[in-house]
Amino acid sequence: MKRFLVHWIAMFSVIWTFIEFAGFFFERDGSPVKPPVWAALLIGIALALWMSRPRLTRTVKLQDKDITLQITVHDVFRVGGGAVIVPSNVLFKHDHLDEGAVQAQLRNQFYENPAAFERVLEDALKHEPSEMITLQGNQVRKYPIGTAARLELNSAKVKGAYIVATAELNEYGRAIPNREQFRTALNSLWDYIGKRGRKEHLIIPVIGSGRNRLNVNRYELIHDIVNTFMLAVECCKFSEKLTIVIHPDAFMRNRYDLEEMEEYLRYVSKFEV
């Protein structure tokens, strides 16, 4: 509200100054030509509302590089124009996921049923190194942290998805929080995309805070994502745009400051750290 009032006062002052200036030069029947005060008030309110609107997307161009970093509040599968990065566990297990998990959204939105998703996933991972382990009495295939695979999606909006193992599981099938493994997974992902992926717009949710159970805030997770990405593109420019997506529910619940996040991106673009 305070921001709106500041913009409204500023806009009304500018508009009224212009009206007074115009009235000095233009007359009709010997009187200055001036619009009614209510018109100036309404125009000022409209402009103030437009200026006070929340800017939910922040974009920064890296200096001396043809690379763009972006933060946006959106649904990760509605950003469009690129490939979405989807976190998973080292078993690529998805039957226990709630509907809000990114991997569950991928499965439910782009595949007929869980079995169809499982078949595509197994085919994408069939050449990746793995080992058989026992979890809760079942024999399952376990992959190293950072194992990644690209899934082609039959969608006009989303070109594909890179699914990556970011967390180990305990004996109860729950993620074991480990920030070092999380960073290792990111480094392995960028390496996979650089060597085996396509050069395209990459769209990544703020992974790590959900089922990874990392006890760090989203600012730190964004730092890990951006920092590992920047180090990777120094060696191999595999993408010209990285968009980090904050889900609207998380944004409203935690009241993240996009101004601070934009400043961080500008700092990265200036000092490349």
Side-chain angles (χ1 to χ4, degrees):
M1 186 63 182
K2 182 179 179 181
R3 185 178 180 183
F4 166 77
L5 288 174
V6 170
H7 286 148
W8 179 76
I9 292 170
M11 287 298 96
F12 181 76
S13 300
V14 170
I15 292 168
W16 197 255
T17 299
F18 177 78
I19 289 172
E20 289 292 331
F21 180 79
F24 182 80
F25 290 99
F26 301 99
E27 293 185 354
R28 180 185 296 168
D29 299 328
S31 299
V33 177
K34 292 184 179 181
V37 175
W38 63 263
L41 289 172
L42 289 177
I43 293 172
I45 289 172
L47 290 173
L49 286 171
W50 183 81
M51 294 177 67
S52 302
R53 75 195 189 286
R55 291 175 53 226
L56 298 180
T57 299
R58 307 299 175 98
T59 304
V60 173
K61 190 92 167 181
L62 270 65
Q63 291 185 355
D64 303 323
K65 297 181 184 294
D66 191 19
I67 295 176
T68 299
L69 297 177
Q70 186 177 78
I71 290 181
T72 187
V73 179
H74 213 317
D75 178 335
V76 69
F77 291 107
R78 294 181 179 272
V79 175
V84 175
I85 292 166
V86 178
S88 186
N89 51 70
V90 291
L91 307 182
F92 290 90
K93 191 175 182 299
H94 56 89
D95 57 333
H96 64 300
L97 298 176
D98 57 63
E99 297 299 306
V102 181
Q103 188 177 356
Q105 291 181 55
L106 172 71
R107 178 194 66 199
N108 297 341
Q109 290 186 39
F110 298 96
Y111 296 90
E112 293 181 4
N113 51 57
F117 175 67
E118 184 68 27
R119 288 193 298 271
V120 171
L121 193 54
E122 287 181 357
D123 186 63
L125 292 167
K126 64 183 178 183
H127 297 303
E128 303 300 324
S130 64
E131 62 176 318
M132 297 301 295
I133 65 167
T134 302
L135 180 69
Q136 298 177 323
N138 298 313
Q139 286 288 301
V140 292
R141 192 170 295 279
K142 177 183 175 183
Y143 297 84
I145 283 285
T147 298
R150 180 185 169 90
L151 307 181
E152 299 297 334
L153 302 179
N154 186 23
S155 168
K157 201 169 187 67
V158 184
K159 296 179 180 179
Y162 290 100
I163 189 164
V164 56
T166 60
E168 296 271 4
L169 298 181
N170 62 22
E171 65 271 28
Y172 304 105
R174 299 298 179 227
I176 302 171
N178 187 314
R179 194 172 179 186
E180 271 312 306
Q181 287 187 342
F182 175 68
R183 290 171 175 153
T184 297
L186 287 170
N187 286 324
S188 297
L189 170 68
W190 306 136
D191 183 66
Y192 175 92
I193 296 174
K195 292 177 178 177
R196 300 162 61 180
R198 302 177 184 177
K199 189 176 181 181
E200 59 191 331
H201 175 199
L202 298 175
I203 304 162
I204 183 169
V206 185
I207 59 178
S209 62
R211 302 199 67 84
N212 281 65
R213 303 186 176 194
L214 292 177
N215 189 25
V216 295
N217 62 46
R218 276 175 168 76
Y219 294 96
E220 295 173 279
L221 295 173
I222 289 172
H223 167 76
D224 287 347
I225 292 169
V226 173
N227 186 256
T228 56
F229 175 79
M230 289 292 295
L231 290 173
V233 293
E234 283 293 324
C235 301
C236 173
K237 187 180 174 183
F238 51 83
S239 177
E240 294 183 348
K241 185 176 182 181
L242 176 70
T243 296
I244 300 169
V245 182
I246 302 172
H247 193 276
D249 289 345
F251 179 74
M252 294 298 295
R253 185 171 60 251
N254 297 289
R255 298 183 179 275
Y256 291 107
D257 190 336
L258 290 181
E259 297 282 352
E260 288 185 2
M261 293 182 179
E262 183 179 15
E263 280 302 309
Y264 169 68
L265 293 185
R266 293 194 184 283
Y267 179 81
V268 169
S269 70
K270 184 175 182 180
F271 296 103
E272 299 184 12
V273 294

